[in-house]
Structure formats: C-alpha cells, structure tokens
Amino acid sequence: MDLSNVEQSPKMTLLANYQVPRYLVDEALLHFDLDKSKTRVISTLKMRLNPESSAGECVLDGESLDLISIKLDGKLLSDSEYEVNSKSLTIAEVPEQFELEIITEIHPDQNTALEGLYHSGRLLCTQCEAEGFRRITYYPDRPDVMTVFTVTIVADAKQWPVMLSNGNLEEQGQFNDGRHWVRWHDPHPKPSYLFALVAGDLYCQQDHFRTMNGRDVTLRIYVDPENKHKCDHALVSLKQSMKWDEEVYGREYDLDVFMIVAVNDFNMGAMENKGLNIFNAACVLATPETATDDDFYTIQSIVAHEYFHNWSGNRVTCRDWFQLSLKEGFTVMRDQSFSADLNSAAVQRIDDVNGLRSMQFAEDAGPMAHPVRPDSYIEISNFYTVTIYEKGAEVVRMIKTLVGDEGFRKGTDLYFDRHDGQAVTTDDFVKAIEDANSVDLSQFKRWYEQAGTPELSVKTHYDPVQQRFSLILRQSCPATPGQENKLNFHIPVAVGLLDSDGNNMPMQLAEEVTPYDGDTRVLSLTETEQTFEFIHVSEEPVASVLRGFSAPVKLKYDLTNKQLAFLMGRDTDSFNRWDAGQQLMINVLLEIVDDIQKQNTLALSPLLLSQLEAVLNDEQLDPALVAKMLTLPTENYLAAQMPVADVDGIHQAREFAKRQIAISLKPLFNARYESLSKQKKYQFNAEDMAARSLKNLCLSYLAATDDPLQMQRCLRQMKVTDNMTELLAGLRLMVDQAGPEREHALRAFYEQWKHDRQVVDKWLSVQAVSKLPDTLLRVKALMKHEAFNIKNPNNVRALIGQFCRNNPVHFHAKDGSGYRFLAEQILVLDKLNPQVAARMLGALNSWRRYDLERQELMKASLEQIATQKDLSADVYEIVTKYLAA
Ligand code: B3K
Ligand code: ZN
C-alpha cells in the first residue's frame, strides 16, 4: 500500500543514540493547586550540570501544558529567553547550577488518555510511566534523572478530603477559605515516572506490617466508599508479599507507610509509584461474591508484583526505556515464584507457559517481534509487551536455572547492593550475577538481543549393546523484522529419562566418571547441534525433554501419540505430564481438522479418550492438575499450530472433540461433579480453588452433551452457590445456549449486580465470547447499554477486547464484519485514548497467518486505519509495522 498520504511519521528513538542527561535535578518541590478542570502546578527544580556531560541548552519535556511563567534563579524569563513547542521547553543559557521555577496549568477533566493527571469518577489521580509526567509539568522526563521530591497539595477540603503523594506525610493544615493542604516528602531519589498524586473522597482500610528489622509499617488501602468491603484480600496479599520478599530476597520495605489506591479508569493493571501504588479497581478489589478464583489469584500476584518493584524497579531503576525488562522481566519472574510458593507450583507453571505460548510466541512470530531489550521504538507505550514482561521473566528464570538458587540469590544481593539508587541496564544485571558466581554469561545475553522464538529439535538414538542413549539437540531461530540471521543461544534444557514403568533412570554422561545424582539434569545447548550421550542405560528410555519448560523455545520432538500418552500418564515432572497431554490433544485435534477439510467422517482417538479417563479417575492427582489436563488447547493456540489457520475447522474440531469426550465420559464427569458439590463456605486457598476448578470443568463437559437437563444443573449451581467462581461458570455455559433461559439468566444477573462495575464487566465479557451466531450484533447493542462507556478501559477490554481476542470464530467471520467492527472502534478510541486503541489493534497481530481472503479483509481494515488523519504515534507505529509484514 502507498503510505505516502499518511501524513505523520513520528520519530523513532534508538538505543544506539543514548546519551547521559545534560542536567540533573537534585531536588524537586512541586506545589499543586488542585481543581478538576484547571490545576495549577508550581515546580521548583534545583538543577546542575551533569559532570559526565558538557554545558549547553537546557531542554525539558512537556506536552499538553499551558505554560504560565518561568523563573531562572528568581528572575522571570522573557519570551525571547526560552522556546516552547508541543513537546518541549528549551532554555538557551543556564549556569552550571541553578534553580528553575515553572508554573503550568493542566486540565484533568479533559484528559481521556489517562496519562498524567486525570479525573476518574470522583477522583483525581496520576499515571506517569512511561512518559506521563511531562503532561504535568516541564521536566527532564527520563528514568536516569533521579530526584528527591517534596509535594504540597492544596485543594477544597470538602471535595478532596484525602490528598496523597509519594513518601511520608510531613505536615498538613487548613486555610480559612475551606481549603486544606498536605506536604509529602519522599527521601528516596526517584525518576519522574514513579511520581504519583491522588485526591478524592476515599475510604481507607488500615493494617500494619512489622519488618524483619522490627520497623512498623502502616499499610493503607484507599477505595471509593461503596467498595469498602472489598479490601481484605489485597491487604492479606500485601502482607504475604512483604514477608516473602524479606525471606526469599532479603528485601525490606523502606518507608513508614505503604499505600494502595483503587481507581476505576486505568489503562493497565496497576502502577508501582513509590509508596503509593495505584491500581485498576479490577486488580485489587475482591469479595467471594463478586470476584472469581482467577480474580483472587491475579490480585494476589499483581499486589505482589507492584510491591516487589519497590526494589526491582524503584530502588534500582532503568537507565532508559530500552531497559524496561530489567525491572519488568525480573519482577514478573519474582511474582511468578511468589505465586508458585503460595499456591500450586505446577498449576502456576502451566498457566505461565500457556500464557507465554499463546501470547508471546505469537508476538515473536509476528510483525511487532522485538528483543527483550529492543533497539528502537516510536512509542514506548507499545513496548509494554508480553516479550518484555513474560519472555523477560523466562530469561531471568533461565539465569536462575543456570547458576542455581543459591547462586542466584548471591547475584541479586550483589545487584541490589551495587546499584541501589542507580538507573542501570540489563547488562549491569547480568554482570552482577556473573560476578557473584564467577560465570560467563556472554553468550546467554543473546536472549536479550535477539528476537524470535528458537526451535529446539530433539533426536534420540539407543544402542542396546553398549547400553548407551544419545540425545541429539539442535537449535535454530527464525528471522524476525530487522534480524535476518541469528547467532546460537545458550539454552538450558532440563531432561529426564523414563523406563517403561515410568521410573526415572540414571543419567551419567559418557565423559563423567561418577554417576549423576538426581532425576532431572540441565544440559547446556550452546552450539547449533550437540549430542549428549548417557551411559549404563539398561533399556531404551523415553526422554522427557524441557522439563518444567526450562527455556522459552518451541520443542520439535516427534514422539508418537503412544509415547505422548505414556508421558501424559507417567512422567514424574508434572509440567511435562501436562504438556505431553496437550501435545497429544493438539495432534488429535489437528487430525480432526484435516478430516473436516477432507469431509471424512469424524472420530475421536480412543487413545486420547482412555488417557483422559485415567486422569479423571485418578483420585491421587491434585484436582487442579486434573482440570488442567482435561482442558483442550484454545482455538487461538491451535490456529498457531497450523501453516494456514483454519478458523472454522478448528472451531468445529474442538467442539466435536469436546462433545465426544463429554458423551463418552459422562458418568465420570457426573460423579466427580457431584462429589465436589458439597456445600462449603468460600475460601481462597489452593485446595478449595482446585476443587472448584475441577467442578466447573466437569460442568462444562456435561453442558457439552447438549442434554437439556445440564442447563438445569447450571441454573441450580448459580442458585445455590455463595461465590462468583461458580456463578459465572454457570452463566458462561448458559450464554452459549440460545433460548429464553439464557436471556432470563443474563437479565437476572444484571439486575442483581448492576451496581458493581467489576461484576458488570464480567457480564459484558461472557456475552462477548458467546458461541451464538448473533454475537457481534449483541456486542454492538451492548455498546449502547447503560453498562458500557467507551472512555472506560475496563469496559472496552471486557466487551470489544474479549470479542476480538477470545472469540476467534466470530471475530474472523468470513464476511469481514469482525475486522470492520474493530477498525471502526480503533478509530474512535484513538481520539480518546491512544494506548487502549493500540492495544486493541493487537487482535490483528497474526493477520498473515490466515487464508488469503481473510488476509485481504484484514488488510483493508488496517489500511482504513493507516490512512486516517492525525493518528496517534501509538496506533501509527503498530499499524505501519503490521502492514509492512
Ligand atoms: N510499570 C507499570 C506499567 C506501566 C505501563 C505504562 N504504559 C505496571 C507494572 O508493570 O508493574
Ligand atoms: Zn511491573
């Protein structure tokens, strides 16, 4: 397509062009006169020339600001002494050390982008990462400028009774005119992206934590008064996180108070502002009646994630935004191991890998593929990706696997000590681990530099005479945009060998003199191909490769369905047991797709059926694991396994398989459902969650039998339950069956919960992912419902996002209606909130993987977006990269 009429081409930022900041800020005094339509900000900055730089003009970032005045060392600057444009303020001449006073005005109630200071409900709040602070005042808005902030807030006491910022509260007072003021001081130097301010009429729930050195920390959660019953779980999670970080990483909290605020309008999950985390209400508020087990679980992990940032991100921060994974990859890895420690480690690993494979592998194989440490970006907001977060976490996890638990702790201790109060790079992180362990990770660092998912192929050879077993490992990595040829990775491959009874076998390598002690060993693949030869192997083993998913690679290991069935039943590594089952299901389902294409009669593999039956009958196995093992791969993931995704074939095959399994194993599903149905008061713990997940899984299979009695069962479950986990599971199943019961259930649910935003979003989501043919029409109708507001990101994600991402059969409708719908919404959203618009575009990431007709339709929608005037940099960057694919 000719993009020459696309007017704007925002500029690209390159890692190679990094330069240290010319001026540093030693102290920032901020004064806010708060008002929702016009807030005045007086910023006083004590600045000096960076000794590592050389003198020159002083450039400050600033966007969408009304500049009122500038004083340099107390003297008002005239218009000719500075220059302002839409992105910055430049003062031509400044001394080596100086004080700037800048007065600006901003308009929180007009801020629909939700970046900077904005108005949400009855609140004023901020979001500054990555580049939102420049929408509050002129400032060197980059993470390597670290400053001590003191913040004074003045506002009407009635309207804004609570006024918060980072650090500790120093002083407060009243004026005679009904206004009041507070002053917050944060002693820890921090970059501007960690600045936060909140004001509003908020309810506060308080608790305490005693740190490992005996300091008492006050914990506070601030919420809208109607949510005051929803704070307990987050507070428990916070205390669990604080304790875990002390025990596992030796990290103690460093202020007198730690605050969390819940807001309804938020672009992502939460934000780790120093001492004042701001959360999307959906990621912090929960009661058993309104939140599902998944919500409880996610909240626990997000609270932990943001808390852990206090060290991995805040005390030690990023030099520049190319280093984003320094804090995000590491912190995700930390929150994943926290969740694994507190809940079921096997389930946590399965969920993490599922997420990685379905989202990150797709990103890595598509037009936006980028390394964990990218080299360039147009809009940094587009780089808060699954690659930076989830692949970044896998990279840190591999480092831990390579140096061992103790070595890793030595490494992180050194990292935190060495770089406390600094803004550093991923290289600095790796260097600390190397230095603490005397290891060389130079080849390993390619994981940060090269994009794309490596492929690991496995061949085996057994010599019965010599009793030797060879494992031949080979790696390759596909080209990605801008990276044609890849160098070899250093891949840790965890392996076990199983005999025919499923017992672990000894794993002594030919070059070793003593036997290896252990059931799993980690092999380092550093060449293109390497052979590992095991000796004293008394029978031909089945190799269990990539145990625990020891590296983020695509495994190419041609096991027969019979071998997969064996591993599914017998592997001693729970992750690989689940994974073998998934691979078996994929093989079976893709064969059915093939039969559908050839119009053959369909049948379900008896081998798979008997394996599933065995799993369902296994009372010893953790019910949570049973539920995972009985869950078919998603349609999206199946699509990614085909050279050309056959949307309808996959949908039909999966529905067919599900129904066959349901019919064949109905008595078992029935029995387990009933045995798990004992009434018990809701509790959030691994055991009860496991029971509920298996119970709901059984119900979903029973519903797939099309037996009308099962709908009655769903209704009954919805009636008797005390929790949202079971209520929503029932509703979800009913929403897939047309008829008056469905409409009645939806109406009743809404009537009961319309006052609760978190629940209403679930109500929108279940309808967006419905299998019924008129789903798009219903989604469009729901956009006009009182429950939907396009300015609210949670509403957009619940309805539009769920439809486009998790309803493939309707989103990819052959007539292109799904694509046109998405394009229309993106153009509307881009004017309101570019970050949310750009996120929605992600639904078209894999557009080249569909048949030519669908590609044409998707391309037309992309072009329609690309040719729009005044596109945001966010959407511009993604749409042009997609079209270039
Ligand atoms: N650091 C924030 C994400 C900010 C996103 C800015 N567009 C939340 C987190 O990862 O903890
Ligand atoms: Zn984070």
Side-chain angles (χ1 to χ4, degrees), residues 98 128 132 141 175 184 229 244 248 354 400 446 501 520 564 612 629 694 764 766 836 885:
F98 56 101
C128 293
D141 190 15
F175 294 115
W184 292 86
H229 57 301
W244 187 89
V248 181
N354 248 336
K400 184 164 180 239
R446 290 175 190 160
D501 293 325
T520 300
L564 287 170
L612 293 175
M629 292 186 73
L694 182 53
L764 293 172
V766 287
V836 171

Short mmCIF file of all heavy atoms in Angstrom, two decimals, residues 98 128 132 141 175 184 229 244 248 354 400 446 501 520 564 612 629 694 764 766 836 885:
data_model
loop_
_atom_site.label_atom_id
_atom_site.label_comp_id
_atom_site.label_asym_id
_atom_site.label_seq_id
_atom_site.Cartn_x
_atom_site.Cartn_y
_atom_site.Cartn_z
N PHE A 98 21.60 25.93 39.09
CA PHE A 98 20.53 26.93 39.02
C PHE A 98 19.23 26.39 39.58
O PHE A 98 19.06 25.18 39.77
CB PHE A 98 20.33 27.41 37.58
CG PHE A 98 20.04 26.30 36.61
CD1 PHE A 98 18.74 26.04 36.17
CD2 PHE A 98 21.07 25.49 36.11
CE1 PHE A 98 18.47 25.01 35.28
CE2 PHE A 98 20.79 24.45 35.22
CZ PHE A 98 19.51 24.22 34.80
N CYS A 128 2.13 8.13 35.41
CA CYS A 128 3.28 8.79 34.79
C CYS A 128 4.17 7.87 33.97
O CYS A 128 4.87 8.33 33.07
CB CYS A 128 4.10 9.51 35.85
SG CYS A 128 3.20 10.90 36.56
N GLY A 132 4.36 10.13 31.23
CA GLY A 132 3.18 10.90 31.60
C GLY A 132 3.51 12.13 32.44
O GLY A 132 2.73 13.08 32.50
N ASP A 141 12.04 14.29 31.68
CA ASP A 141 11.18 13.15 31.98
C ASP A 141 11.80 11.87 31.43
O ASP A 141 11.37 11.32 30.41
CB ASP A 141 9.80 13.42 31.36
CG ASP A 141 8.74 12.41 31.80
OD1 ASP A 141 8.98 11.69 32.77
OD2 ASP A 141 7.68 12.37 31.15
N PHE A 175 -6.79 26.10 55.59
CA PHE A 175 -6.91 27.54 55.37
C PHE A 175 -8.30 27.97 55.81
O PHE A 175 -9.18 27.14 56.01
CB PHE A 175 -6.71 27.87 53.89
CG PHE A 175 -5.31 27.58 53.39
CD1 PHE A 175 -5.10 26.60 52.43
CD2 PHE A 175 -4.22 28.30 53.87
CE1 PHE A 175 -3.82 26.32 51.97
CE2 PHE A 175 -2.93 28.02 53.40
CZ PHE A 175 -2.74 27.03 52.45
N TRP A 184 3.95 16.06 51.37
CA TRP A 184 4.56 14.73 51.35
C TRP A 184 6.02 14.86 50.95
O TRP A 184 6.36 15.64 50.06
CB TRP A 184 3.85 13.83 50.33
CG TRP A 184 2.45 13.48 50.70
CD1 TRP A 184 1.32 14.21 50.45
CD2 TRP A 184 2.02 12.31 51.41
NE1 TRP A 184 0.22 13.57 50.95
CE2 TRP A 184 0.61 12.38 51.53
CE3 TRP A 184 2.68 11.19 51.93
CZ2 TRP A 184 -0.15 11.40 52.17
CZ3 TRP A 184 1.92 10.21 52.57
CH2 TRP A 184 0.53 10.32 52.68
N HIS A 229 -15.98 -2.95 51.46
CA HIS A 229 -15.99 -4.36 51.87
C HIS A 229 -15.07 -5.22 50.99
O HIS A 229 -15.01 -6.43 51.16
CB HIS A 229 -17.42 -4.90 51.80
CG HIS A 229 -18.03 -4.75 50.43
ND1 HIS A 229 -18.19 -3.53 49.81
CD2 HIS A 229 -18.49 -5.68 49.57
CE1 HIS A 229 -18.74 -3.72 48.62
NE2 HIS A 229 -18.93 -5.01 48.44
N TRP A 244 7.40 -12.41 52.01
CA TRP A 244 8.09 -13.26 51.03
C TRP A 244 9.35 -12.56 50.51
O TRP A 244 10.40 -13.18 50.38
CB TRP A 244 7.13 -13.57 49.88
CG TRP A 244 7.65 -14.58 48.88
CD1 TRP A 244 7.50 -15.93 48.94
CD2 TRP A 244 8.39 -14.31 47.67
NE1 TRP A 244 8.09 -16.53 47.83
CE2 TRP A 244 8.64 -15.56 47.04
CE3 TRP A 244 8.84 -13.14 47.06
CZ2 TRP A 244 9.33 -15.67 45.83
CZ3 TRP A 244 9.53 -13.25 45.85
CH2 TRP A 244 9.77 -14.50 45.25
N VAL A 248 12.81 -14.46 50.83
CA VAL A 248 13.40 -15.05 49.63
C VAL A 248 14.50 -14.17 49.03
O VAL A 248 15.48 -14.67 48.50
CB VAL A 248 12.31 -15.40 48.60
CG1 VAL A 248 12.90 -16.04 47.36
CG2 VAL A 248 11.28 -16.34 49.23
N ASN A 354 1.37 -21.49 29.38
CA ASN A 354 0.22 -21.30 28.50
C ASN A 354 0.14 -19.86 27.98
O ASN A 354 -0.05 -19.61 26.80
CB ASN A 354 -1.07 -21.59 29.27
CG ASN A 354 -1.75 -22.83 28.76
OD1 ASN A 354 -1.55 -23.23 27.60
ND2 ASN A 354 -2.56 -23.44 29.59
N LYS A 400 18.59 -18.14 36.56
CA LYS A 400 18.48 -18.80 37.86
C LYS A 400 18.74 -20.30 37.71
O LYS A 400 19.44 -20.91 38.52
CB LYS A 400 17.11 -18.53 38.45
CG LYS A 400 16.92 -19.08 39.83
CD LYS A 400 15.68 -18.45 40.48
CE LYS A 400 15.48 -18.99 41.88
NZ LYS A 400 14.20 -19.65 42.07
N ARG A 446 22.54 -13.14 24.49
CA ARG A 446 21.82 -13.04 23.21
C ARG A 446 20.31 -13.13 23.40
O ARG A 446 19.54 -12.67 22.56
CB ARG A 446 22.30 -14.13 22.25
CG ARG A 446 23.71 -13.87 21.78
CD ARG A 446 24.24 -15.01 20.93
NE ARG A 446 25.66 -14.82 20.70
CZ ARG A 446 26.50 -15.78 20.34
NH1 ARG A 446 26.04 -17.02 20.14
NH2 ARG A 446 27.77 -15.54 20.15
N ASP A 501 8.37 -48.57 32.96
CA ASP A 501 7.41 -48.48 34.05
C ASP A 501 7.19 -47.04 34.52
O ASP A 501 6.49 -46.79 35.51
CB ASP A 501 7.90 -49.31 35.26
CG ASP A 501 7.91 -50.79 34.93
OD1 ASP A 501 7.00 -51.23 34.17
OD2 ASP A 501 8.82 -51.51 35.41
N THR A 520 16.49 -35.19 37.24
CA THR A 520 16.42 -34.25 36.12
C THR A 520 17.78 -33.59 36.02
O THR A 520 18.36 -33.22 37.04
CB THR A 520 15.36 -33.16 36.41
OG1 THR A 520 14.09 -33.79 36.58
CG2 THR A 520 15.27 -32.16 35.27
N LEU A 564 3.45 -40.08 23.73
CA LEU A 564 2.87 -38.93 24.43
C LEU A 564 1.88 -39.41 25.50
O LEU A 564 1.86 -38.88 26.61
CB LEU A 564 2.16 -38.00 23.43
CG LEU A 564 3.09 -37.18 22.53
CD1 LEU A 564 2.29 -36.49 21.42
CD2 LEU A 564 3.87 -36.14 23.33
N LEU A 612 -7.63 -39.63 29.05
CA LEU A 612 -8.42 -38.64 29.80
C LEU A 612 -9.23 -39.34 30.89
O LEU A 612 -9.36 -38.83 32.01
CB LEU A 612 -9.36 -37.88 28.84
CG LEU A 612 -8.65 -36.98 27.82
CD1 LEU A 612 -9.64 -36.36 26.86
CD2 LEU A 612 -7.85 -35.87 28.53
N MET A 629 -5.31 -30.81 32.92
CA MET A 629 -5.04 -31.87 31.94
C MET A 629 -6.24 -32.20 31.08
O MET A 629 -6.10 -32.74 29.99
CB MET A 629 -4.53 -33.12 32.66
CG MET A 629 -3.16 -32.88 33.27
SD MET A 629 -2.42 -34.34 33.98
CE MET A 629 -1.97 -35.26 32.54
N LEU A 694 -12.06 -28.00 39.13
CA LEU A 694 -12.44 -29.30 38.55
C LEU A 694 -13.96 -29.43 38.46
O LEU A 694 -14.49 -29.92 37.46
CB LEU A 694 -11.84 -30.45 39.38
CG LEU A 694 -12.13 -31.85 38.84
CD1 LEU A 694 -11.72 -31.98 37.37
CD2 LEU A 694 -11.40 -32.92 39.66
N LEU A 764 -20.44 -8.31 30.66
CA LEU A 764 -20.14 -7.92 29.27
C LEU A 764 -19.27 -8.99 28.59
O LEU A 764 -19.53 -9.40 27.46
CB LEU A 764 -19.42 -6.57 29.23
CG LEU A 764 -20.21 -5.34 29.68
CD1 LEU A 764 -19.30 -4.11 29.78
CD2 LEU A 764 -21.38 -5.05 28.73
N VAL A 766 -18.79 -12.29 29.20
CA VAL A 766 -19.38 -13.59 28.85
C VAL A 766 -20.21 -13.47 27.57
O VAL A 766 -20.26 -14.40 26.78
CB VAL A 766 -20.29 -14.23 29.94
CG1 VAL A 766 -19.47 -14.76 31.08
CG2 VAL A 766 -21.36 -13.30 30.43
N VAL A 836 -5.10 2.54 24.70
CA VAL A 836 -6.11 1.49 24.63
C VAL A 836 -6.37 1.13 23.16
O VAL A 836 -6.49 -0.06 22.81
CB VAL A 836 -7.41 1.93 25.34
CG1 VAL A 836 -8.54 0.96 25.08
CG2 VAL A 836 -7.14 2.04 26.85
N ALA A 885 4.30 -6.24 7.09
CA ALA A 885 4.58 -7.68 7.25
C ALA A 885 4.35 -8.44 5.94
O ALA A 885 3.45 -8.13 5.20
CB ALA A 885 3.71 -8.27 8.34
#
